[in-house]
Amino acid sequence: MFNVTAGDLNAYFGFDPEREPDLKKLDGLIRSAAPSLKCYFHEGKRAGSAGMRMKMIGYGKFRYSIKSGKSTDWPVIGVALQKNYISVYFSVTIDGHPIVDCYKGKLGEKRSGKNNFSFARFDELKSGEVVKLVVETAKAFNRDPENPVYYREGS
């Protein structure tokens, strides 16, 4: 795991000066497309706690539980620095499927996974498609704030 040692939002943006412009462009896109999803610093979770340990930029927040019964706050959209990429995570479904599935191959991404995509440089992204994805995510969450819980529970 790529270890980002930042302790707040400003430090996270500045953690990798070479990629700071890419983070800031993506941040501007997300904030503009989904102003209802408040931006915050997600400090990651300790081992044994619910949620991933990585630090990230979060947009919107919901609470979910894992099988052990532990629960945590988690971002609706999360942006994380990785060793070679910037990854964007989504916690929303459309018709029971991860929302990113509807956009795979359309975003200009280098790779995609289960409800996430990664890129190396912001300028490689198809920003119009990313805007659509972010807008649709915010609408789904605002319509039903429990939507991410369904995804996390696998229902």
Side-chain angles (χ1 to χ4, degrees):
M1 178 169 62
F2 186 65
N3 188 24
V4 177
T5 58
D8 61 36
L9 197 55
N10 287 332
Y12 197 94
F13 277 107
F15 181 77
D16 183 347
E18 186 176 318
R19 295 190 288 174
E20 183 175 5
D22 295 306
L23 279 178
K24 287 190 172 182
K25 287 176 188 175
L26 181 62
D27 174 66
L29 182 150
I30 294 171
R31 288 184 193 228
S32 176
S36 64
L37 300 179
K38 184 181 175 194
C39 181
Y40 69 99
F41 176 68
H42 181 80
E43 60 186 292
K45 302 298 174 184
R46 292 191 171 109
S49 299
M52 292 192 287
R53 288 180 277 180
M54 76 174 88
K55 297 176 183 189
M56 66 178 80
I57 303 166
Y59 300 88
K61 199 181 282 190
F62 71 98
R63 191 142 189 96
Y64 82 94
S65 299
I66 59 174
K67 291 177 185 176
S68 71
K70 296 177 183 177
S71 66
T72 189
D73 287 331
W74 195 253
V76 175
I77 299 173
V79 175
L81 287 168
Q82 306 293 342
K83 182 178 179 184
N84 298 310
Y85 300 102
I86 296 171
S87 294
V88 188
Y89 298 89
F90 295 81
S91 297
V92 168
T93 61
I94 298 296
D95 298 326
H97 301 285
I99 193 166
V100 174
D101 285 354
C102 303
Y103 291 87
K104 283 185 180 177
K106 299 177 184 176
L107 303 168
E109 71 272 25
K110 292 290 184 190
R111 58 188 206 169
S112 58
K114 187 174 182 182
N115 237 10
N116 66 76
F117 72 89
S118 299
F119 65 96
R121 296 282 171 232
F122 180 84
D123 295 339
E124 297 170 349
L125 291 174
K126 296 176 182 172
S127 59
E129 290 299 313
V130 176
V131 166
K132 288 178 188 177
L133 171 57
V134 170
V135 167
E136 189 174 2
T137 297
K139 284 181 180 178
F141 178 71
N142 291 331
R143 225 179 6 256
D144 180 8
E146 294 298 308
N147 181 304
V149 176
Y150 307 143
Y151 169 67
R152 293 291 179 194
E153 292 175 350
S155 43

